[in-house]
């Protein structure tokens, strides 16, 4: 093997049982990189992940983390995915690839998302792969600086290249933890994955309509404040009113 070769690993109960030391080391390495990449109201406590991977009852989702490592088992990047069992929706919440020589522009982020989805699909029928993305115009309205908006443009460009579509309603992410606020500057995306059951808009709409209350219930437990019934009702109403559920995702002009 050469130093640029890469292997994909999934943090799941099987790895935790088979090689607990490796599981712990890789989980800690991913959490360290995560803390340096995600901040503020979009970040959640990594201390929650172990229990979610090993299994907690609904409404909390099943968690899987897909990692890409080098020949020495050093972390290159990873992706977190939550599997919502009732709706069959997989939500990719965090993905990053470290800026390491020989590892950029190799499709790692795309492959990580698919590996995380496949890991969730081993738990139960997975019907859609979802993701959240910062929306540059919403960040601008909040007074975000040029650096933050440029970073959001770059992330959005990644999802455009993936062929993602945006769900046409006013999405809001509920608070992730005590003391945090809902994130109103995100949009919800659907990512293309072979075998997912949304060949028809009706099937996807049904999956999303089931996902929203599961998602809100899980975050209500996580944040300790319960479900914001008004916000959930508004989200479901917006989804129901969407005439064309999915819209093409395009990169907006630079700010």
């Amino acid at each position: 093997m050469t130093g640029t070769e890469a292997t994909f690993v999934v943090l799941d109960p099987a790895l935790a049982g088979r090689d607990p030391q490796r599981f712990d080391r890789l989980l800690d390495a991913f959490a360290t990189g995560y803390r340096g990449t995600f901040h503020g109201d979009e970040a959640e406590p990594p201390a929650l992940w172990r229990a979610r991977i090993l299994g907690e009852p609904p409404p909390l989702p099943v968690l899987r983390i897909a990692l890409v490592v080098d020949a020495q088992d050093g972390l290159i990047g990873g992706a977190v995915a939550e599997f919502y069992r009732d709706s069959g929706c997989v939500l990719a919440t965090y993905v990053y690839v470290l800026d390491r020589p020989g590892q950029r522009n190799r499709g790692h982020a795309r492959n990580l998302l698919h590996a995380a989805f496949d890991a969730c699909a081993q738990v139960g029928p997975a019907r859609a792969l979802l993701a959240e993305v910062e929306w540059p115009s919403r960040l601008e309205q909040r007074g975000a600086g040029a650096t933050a908006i440029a970073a959001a443009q770059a992330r959005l460009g990644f999802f455009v290249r993936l062929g993602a579509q945006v769900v046409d309603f006013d999405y809001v992410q509920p608070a992730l933890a005590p003391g945090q606020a809902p994130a109103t500057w995100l949009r919800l995306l659907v990512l293309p994955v072979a075998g997912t059951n949304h060949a028809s808009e009706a099937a996807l709409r049904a999956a999303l309509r089931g996902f929203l209350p599961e998602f809100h219930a899980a975050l209500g437990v996580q944040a300790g404040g319960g479900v914001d019934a008004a916000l959930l009702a508004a989200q479901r109403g917006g989804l129901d009113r969407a005439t064309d559920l999915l819209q093409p995702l395009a990169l907006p002009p630079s700010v």
Side-chain angles (χ1 to χ4, degrees):
M1 295 180 94
T2 66
T4 60
E5 291 189 16
T7 302
F8 288 86
V9 180
V10 174
L11 299 184
D12 61 8
L15 180 60
R18 183 175 66 251
D19 194 342
Q21 291 185 336
R22 187 186 188 208
F23 178 94
D24 290 343
R25 177 172 51 78
L26 290 176
L27 180 59
D28 289 345
F30 179 79
T32 297
Y34 163 86
R35 292 186 186 97
T37 305
F38 299 95
H39 311 279
D41 289 327
E42 293 180 56
E44 66 182 5
L48 302 172
W49 292 343
R50 174 185 292 276
R52 303 279 169 85
I53 292 171
L54 298 181
E56 288 189 299
L60 298 173
V62 174
L63 193 78
R64 292 291 181 264
I65 302 179
L67 304 176
V68 57
V69 300
D70 64 18
Q72 289 74 46
D73 216 24
L75 183 70
I76 297 169
V80 180
E82 299 172 344
F83 179 53
Y84 289 85
R85 286 159 276 194
D86 288 345
S87 64
C89 288
V90 177
L91 177 64
T93 53
Y94 306 104
V95 57
Y96 72 84
V97 176
L98 297 173
D99 189 10
R100 294 184 52 185
Q103 299 295 347
R104 301 295 296 182
N105 302 312
R106 294 185 58 190
H108 288 326
R110 178 193 298 264
N111 291 331
L112 282 166
L113 288 170
H114 286 277
F117 178 85
D118 290 344
C120 290
Q122 294 179 21
V123 179
R127 298 181 177 87
L129 176 57
L130 312 176
E132 300 161 320
V133 67
E134 290 179 326
W135 207 246
S137 61
R138 292 185 175 184
L139 288 175
E140 185 183 18
Q141 291 167 3
R142 297 182 72 248
T147 300
I149 294 172
Q153 289 263 8
R155 285 190 290 271
L156 192 58
F158 164 71
F159 286 111
V160 170
R161 293 190 295 274
L162 281 186
Q165 295 175 284
V166 62
V167 185
D168 190 23
F169 78 116
D170 193 18
Y171 175 73
V172 175
Q173 179 198 77
L176 293 176
Q180 290 182 273
T184 60
W185 54 90
L186 305 177
R187 298 293 300 273
L188 187 65
L189 307 180
V190 175
L191 279 56
V193 178
T196 51
N197 183 25
H198 54 82
S200 72
E201 182 174 299
L204 177 59
R205 192 184 294 270
L208 290 172
R209 205 168 193 282
F211 163 74
L212 285 174
E214 277 190 282
F215 183 52
H216 280 248
L219 292 187
V221 171
Q222 182 170 303
V227 174
D228 183 335
L231 176 60
L232 175 57
Q235 297 276 277
R236 296 187 80 175
L239 186 65
D240 291 343
R241 289 190 296 272
T243 303
D244 296 316
L245 185 62
L246 298 181
Q247 297 294 324
L249 183 65
L251 192 61
S254 298
V255 177

